[in-house]
Amino acid sequence: LNPWDVMLCVSGTAIACENALVVAIICYSPALRTPMFVLVGSLATADLLAGLGLILNFVFQYVIRSETVSLLTVGFLVASFAASVSSLLAITVDRYLSLYNALTYYSERTVLCIHTMLAGAWGVSLCLGLLPVLGWNCLHDRTSCSVVRPLTKTNVTLLSASFFLIFLIMLHLYIEICKIVCRHAHQIALQQHFLTASHYVTTKKGVSTLAIILGTFGASWLPFAIYCVVGDPDYPSVYTYATLLPATYNSMINPIIYAYRNQEIQRSMWVLLCGCFQAKVSFRSRSPSDV
């Protein structure tokens, strides 16, 4: 057994378990039906499928050796990870809108916008996943292979370019969010006629959280995306594994950042897992703009 394949399978198992719990919590709790939780559910579903895809890829690689099955599993992984990254972009857009249009955020127009974004994200992801199955692969032309077989160089270049575009959009939106957060904190301080240490602490905490979110996303995916562009299929496969494995960790970290830190999900998790909840424990509901 290739130890890298084993680590990817273990990573996929952890990803699937973490995100399956998030999906179960959101489906179980009728209260978690706001646009924010719909987006978190979309992210968890995409990461859950990605984890299952890693497990299936391992099983089929060592149990059922077939070119058709290989194309299906690779296409499944491409679609799942693409949906995960797209859901992250949708969450970023939602956070920006919740701050920029705070007065009209809870309107039906926002719900329609969220559903439209998710439909577009999953539709594009499905199309990207179908490309290898529909013939955009290097099974019959080894010279066109990329560092991720059986994807072609053109295919991975398209995927990498899409990722870079999404990353830049998220970077721009998070910078705008930081500006809005800082401006709001300053306005509150002026209304109270003085600047208190708590305002600086709150602003610093919000900006730090945004930096952690974007930094985690970039650190996970950027090495793999860059290697897909500059790498050569003749390079040792260990380079591909070494950059792909950290990318899978993003799907492992997402539930912690976007789900388990939310106190409404924490409360629903206690109800789901323990069947009881102590009313004396106080939970503060977070708004979609909380970071």
Side-chain angles (χ1 to χ4, degrees):
L1 293 178
N2 186 334
W4 288 101
D5 289 329
V6 175
M7 286 189 287
L8 284 175
C9 183
V10 172
S11 178
T13 304
I15 291 170
C17 293
E18 279 185 298
N19 288 280
L21 180 58
V22 176
V23 173
I25 291 171
I26 293 178
C27 293
Y28 173 82
S29 306
L32 304 181
R33 295 293 185 270
T34 63
M36 176 182 66
F37 291 115
V38 171
L39 291 170
V40 173
S42 172
L43 176 62
T45 301
D47 287 333
L48 170 61
L49 294 177
L52 294 176
L54 291 172
I55 298 173
L56 292 176
N57 183 66
F58 177 83
V59 172
F60 291 139
Q61 186 174 356
Y62 289 97
V63 179
I64 304 176
R65 295 181 177 273
S66 168
E67 291 184 350
T68 302
V69 173
S70 175
L71 286 175
L72 290 175
T73 54
V74 169
F76 185 79
L77 284 171
V78 169
S80 301
F81 281 118
S84 175
V85 173
S86 300
S87 296
L88 287 174
L89 175 61
I91 290 175
T92 306
V93 173
D94 176 68
R95 285 182 168 179
Y96 174 75
L97 292 177
S98 68
L99 291 171
Y100 186 76
N101 296 322
L103 296 178
T104 60
Y105 176 79
Y106 290 98
S107 64
E108 293 183 0
R109 184 177 181 181
T110 300
V111 177
L112 177 61
C113 177
I114 296 300
H115 290 164
T116 302
M117 280 197 302
L118 288 180
W122 281 91
V124 172
S125 301
L126 180 60
C127 292
L128 291 174
L130 286 175
L131 290 179
V133 181
L134 296 178
W136 205 356
N137 58 70
C138 63
L139 293 179
H140 304 293
D141 183 13
R142 299 293 179 179
T143 59
S144 64
C145 279
S146 66
V147 295
V148 184
R149 296 183 178 88
L151 300 181
T152 64
K153 296 178 183 177
T154 308
N155 196 343
V156 297
T157 301
L158 173 63
L159 294 174
S160 298
S162 301
F163 168 79
F164 292 137
L165 177 61
I166 289 176
F167 182 77
L168 290 176
I169 294 174
M170 289 178 63
L171 177 61
H172 172 72
L173 289 177
Y174 274 128
I175 291 175
E176 293 299 318
I177 290 174
C178 287
K179 292 180 180 178
I180 295 174
V181 170
C182 293
R183 186 165 61 247
H184 284 181
H186 185 68
Q187 289 174 350
I188 293 174
L190 290 179
Q191 289 176 0
Q192 297 180 359
H193 304 293
F194 61 90
L195 295 173
T196 62
S198 61
H199 292 122
Y200 288 110
V201 172
T202 302
T203 303
K204 183 178 179 181
K205 182 180 178 181
V207 173
S208 299
T209 303
L210 293 176
I212 292 173
I213 292 173
L214 192 62
T216 301
F217 176 64
S220 299
W221 277 105
L222 277 176
F224 181 66
I226 294 173
Y227 182 68
C228 284
V229 176
V230 303
D232 188 273
D234 294 330
Y235 291 170
S237 60
V238 64
Y239 296 156
T240 302
Y241 283 114
T243 52
L244 176 60
L245 188 62
T248 65
Y249 292 159
N250 187 66
S251 295
M252 197 182 301
I253 298 173
N254 284 338
I256 300 174
I257 295 178
Y258 296 97
Y260 294 133
R261 290 175 63 249
N262 185 281
Q263 300 203 14
E264 290 188 16
I265 288 185
Q266 291 175 11
R267 178 175 58 185
S268 298
M269 182 168 59
W270 278 107
V271 173
L272 178 64
L273 297 181
C274 303
C276 61
F277 176 72
Q278 297 179 356
K280 63 180 180 180
V281 180
S282 175
F283 288 91
R284 180 180 64 86
S285 178
R286 294 191 175 196
S287 67
S289 60
D290 285 349
V291 294

